[in-house]
Amino acid sequence: MTFTQAAFGADTLLKKTLLVIAGTVLIAIAAKVQVPFWPVPVTLQTLAILFVALSFGARLGAVTVLAYLAQGFAGLPVFASLVGPAAFVGPTAGFLVGFVLMAWVAGLAAGKGVVTMAGAAILGGALLYIPGLAWPMFGAEMLGIEGKWVGSSWASIWQYWLSPFILADITKAILAAALVAGGMKLARKS
């Protein structure tokens, strides 16, 4: 049983639709809470995505992230920086795509206890780096996209795109799991 099922009862199409809308709003707000950093800002976006995935489950969590990405692609100002289709060719494009994988993997552990959820959230966060780092290293260059971040070396990727974020991402994964587990305990008592 997921947190949303414990809190709101059986899933209906209306409840799922409202959860997706609420989830996209939460992720969009979290994306705006950021610490400026180059080339990618540190945001609460991953915390919100992990919270949504661990609360909703794998399928609904991934659908929520896909809806969020569709909103951003359509031009709604939901992303941390770029707006519209430009966000899907900029430096964060790989991370945007990776959010779906992260939500799916973390959501597989929804409702399975705080340790399992934290482990799945950390794994999902680690998997986020595969498309996130592949894009500036290879993807953009193969498509002929220009930018000083394109074709970055492994040393540059490690220094600017990975090492500064590892501790924060692990912390956000553990926090998301703890929040969902705590919410489930409260929902079960009600």
Side-chain angles (χ1 to χ4, degrees), residues 7-148:
F8 304 118
D11 289 337
T12 65
L13 182 59
L14 177 61
K15 283 182 188 176
K16 287 179 180 180
T17 303
L18 293 174
L19 286 171
V20 168
I21 292 168
T24 62
V25 169
L26 176 66
I27 296 166
I29 291 169
K32 299 301 180 183
V33 179
Q34 59 182 288
V35 176
F37 207 75
W38 190 91
V40 181
V42 175
T43 70
L44 293 183
Q45 193 172 29
T46 53
L47 173 64
I49 291 169
L50 290 170
F51 178 82
V52 164
L54 293 172
S55 297
F56 295 5
R59 269 187 283 176
L60 194 57
V63 166
T64 301
V65 174
L66 286 169
Y68 166 73
L69 295 177
Q71 292 168 351
F73 188 84
L76 295 176
V78 296
F79 297 144
S81 54
L82 297 174
V83 179
F88 291 89
V89 294
T92 60
F95 290 100
L96 293 176
V97 172
F99 286 156
V100 180
L101 176 63
M102 179 177 74
W104 175 264
V105 169
L108 291 172
K112 295 190 175 158
V114 69
V115 173
T116 302
M117 288 192 298
I122 290 169
L123 176 61
L127 292 174
L128 170 66
Y129 284 103
I130 295 171
L133 300 179
W135 177 249
M137 289 182 80
F138 311 111
E141 193 168 25
M142 288 185 342
L143 294 176
I145 296 171
E146 306 247 344
K148 61 184 172 183

